[in-house]
Coordinates of all heavy atoms in Angstrom, one line a residue:
L130 N 97.1 68.1 87.8 CA 96.5 67.3 88.8 C 96.8 67.8 90.3 O 96.3 67.2 91.2 CB 96.8 65.8 88.7 CG 96.4 65.2 87.4 CD1 96.8 63.7 87.4 CD2 94.9 65.3 87.2
A131 N 97.6 68.8 90.4 CA 98.0 69.3 91.7 C 96.8 69.8 92.5 O 96.0 70.6 91.9 CB 99.0 70.4 91.6
A132 N 96.6 69.3 93.7 CA 95.5 69.8 94.5 C 95.8 71.1 95.2 O 96.8 71.3 95.9 CB 95.2 68.8 95.6
M133 N 95.0 72.1 94.9 CA 95.2 73.5 95.4 C 94.0 73.9 96.2 O 92.9 73.4 96.1 CB 95.4 74.5 94.2 CG 96.4 74.1 93.3 SD 98.1 74.1 94.0 CE 98.3 75.9 94.4
K134 N 94.2 74.8 97.2 CA 93.1 75.3 98.0 C 93.1 76.8 98.1 O 94.2 77.4 98.3 CB 93.3 74.7 99.4 CG 92.1 75.0 100.4 CD 92.3 74.3 101.7 CE 91.1 74.5 102.6 NZ 91.3 73.8 103.9
L135 N 92.0 77.4 97.8 CA 91.9 78.8 97.8 C 90.9 79.2 98.9 O 90.1 78.4 99.4 CB 91.4 79.3 96.4 CG 90.0 79.0 95.9 CD1 88.9 79.9 96.5 CD2 89.9 79.1 94.4
R136 N 91.0 80.4 99.3 CA 90.0 81.0 100.2 C 89.4 82.3 99.5 O 90.2 83.2 99.1 CB 90.6 81.4 101.5 CG 89.7 82.1 102.5 CD 90.3 82.2 103.9 NE 90.4 80.8 104.4 CZ 91.2 80.5 105.4 NH1 92.0 81.4 106.0 NH2 91.2 79.2 105.9
M137 N 88.1 82.3 99.4 CA 87.4 83.5 98.8 C 86.8 84.3 99.9 O 86.0 83.8 100.7 CB 86.3 83.0 97.8 CG 85.6 84.1 97.1 SD 84.3 83.6 96.0 CE 83.1 82.9 97.1
M138 N 87.3 85.6 100.0 CA 86.8 86.4 101.1 C 86.1 87.7 100.5 O 86.5 88.3 99.5 CB 88.1 86.9 101.9 CG 88.8 85.8 102.6 SD 90.3 86.3 103.5 CE 91.4 86.3 102.1
E139 N 85.1 88.0 101.2 CA 84.2 89.2 100.8 C 84.9 90.4 101.2 O 85.4 90.5 102.4 CB 82.9 89.0 101.5 CG 81.9 90.2 101.2 CD 80.6 90.1 102.0 OE1 80.5 89.2 102.9 OE2 79.7 90.9 101.8
L140 N 84.9 91.4 100.4 CA 85.5 92.7 100.7 C 84.4 93.5 101.5 O 83.2 93.4 101.2 CB 85.8 93.5 99.5 CG 87.3 93.4 99.0 CD1 87.6 92.0 98.6 CD2 87.6 94.4 97.8
G141 N 84.9 94.2 102.6 CA 84.0 95.0 103.4 C 83.8 96.4 102.8 O 82.8 97.1 103.1
K142 N 84.7 96.9 101.9 CA 84.6 98.2 101.3 C 85.4 98.1 100.0 O 86.3 97.2 99.8 CB 85.2 99.3 102.2 CG 86.7 99.0 102.5 CD 87.2 100.2 103.4 CE 88.7 99.9 103.8 NZ 89.2 101.0 104.7
P143 N 85.0 98.9 99.0 CA 85.7 98.8 97.7 C 87.1 99.3 97.8 O 87.5 100.2 98.5 CB 84.9 99.8 96.8 CG 83.6 100.0 97.5 CD 83.9 99.9 99.0
V144 N 88.0 98.6 97.1 CA 89.4 99.2 96.9 C 89.2 100.4 96.0 O 88.5 100.5 95.0 CB 90.2 98.1 96.2 CG1 91.6 98.7 95.8 CG2 90.4 96.9 97.0
E145 N 89.9 101.5 96.5 CA 89.7 102.8 95.8 C 90.1 102.8 94.4 O 91.2 102.2 94.0 CB 90.5 103.9 96.6 CG 90.0 104.2 98.0 CD 90.7 103.4 99.0 OE1 91.3 102.3 98.7 OE2 90.6 103.7 100.2
E146 N 89.3 103.5 93.6 CA 89.7 103.7 92.2 C 90.6 104.9 92.1 O 90.7 105.7 93.0 CB 88.4 104.0 91.3 CG 87.5 102.7 91.3 CD 86.3 103.0 90.3 OE1 86.4 104.0 89.6 OE2 85.3 102.2 90.4
G147 N 91.3 105.1 90.9 CA 92.2 106.2 90.7 C 93.5 106.1 91.4 O 94.2 107.1 91.5
V148 N 93.8 104.9 92.0 CA 95.0 104.7 92.7 C 95.8 103.7 91.9 O 95.3 102.7 91.4 CB 94.8 104.2 94.2 CG1 96.1 103.9 94.9 CG2 94.0 105.2 94.9
I149 N 97.1 103.9 91.9 CA 98.0 102.9 91.2 C 98.4 101.8 92.1 O 99.0 102.1 93.2 CB 99.3 103.7 90.6 CG1 98.8 104.7 89.6 CG2 100.2 102.7 90.0 CD1 99.9 105.6 89.1
Y150 N 98.2 100.6 91.7 CA 98.5 99.4 92.6 C 99.5 98.6 92.0 O 99.5 98.2 90.8 CB 97.2 98.6 92.8 CG 96.1 99.3 93.6 CD1 95.0 99.9 92.9 CD2 96.2 99.5 95.0 CE1 94.1 100.6 93.7 CE2 95.3 100.2 95.7 CZ 94.2 100.7 95.0 OH 93.2 101.4 95.7
Y151 N 100.5 98.2 92.8 CA 101.6 97.3 92.3 C 101.4 95.9 93.0 O 100.5 95.7 93.8 CB 102.9 97.9 92.7 CG 103.4 99.0 91.7 CD1 102.8 100.2 91.8 CD2 104.3 98.7 90.7 CE1 103.2 101.2 90.9 CE2 104.7 99.7 89.8 CZ 104.1 100.9 89.9 OH 104.4 101.9 89.0
T152 N 102.2 95.0 92.5 CA 102.0 93.6 92.9 C 102.3 93.3 94.4 O 102.1 92.2 94.9 CB 102.9 92.6 92.1 OG1 104.2 93.1 92.0 CG2 102.3 92.6 90.7

Side-chain angles (χ1 to χ4, degrees):
L130 298 179
M133 306 296 293
K134 188 175 184 180
L135 66 83
R136 177 167 293 161
M137 183 177 71
M138 294 178 280
E139 178 186 8
L140 268 61
K142 59 181 179 181
V144 175
E145 292 93 342
E146 295 184 16
V148 178
I149 297 171
Y150 295 102
Y151 281 77
T152 50

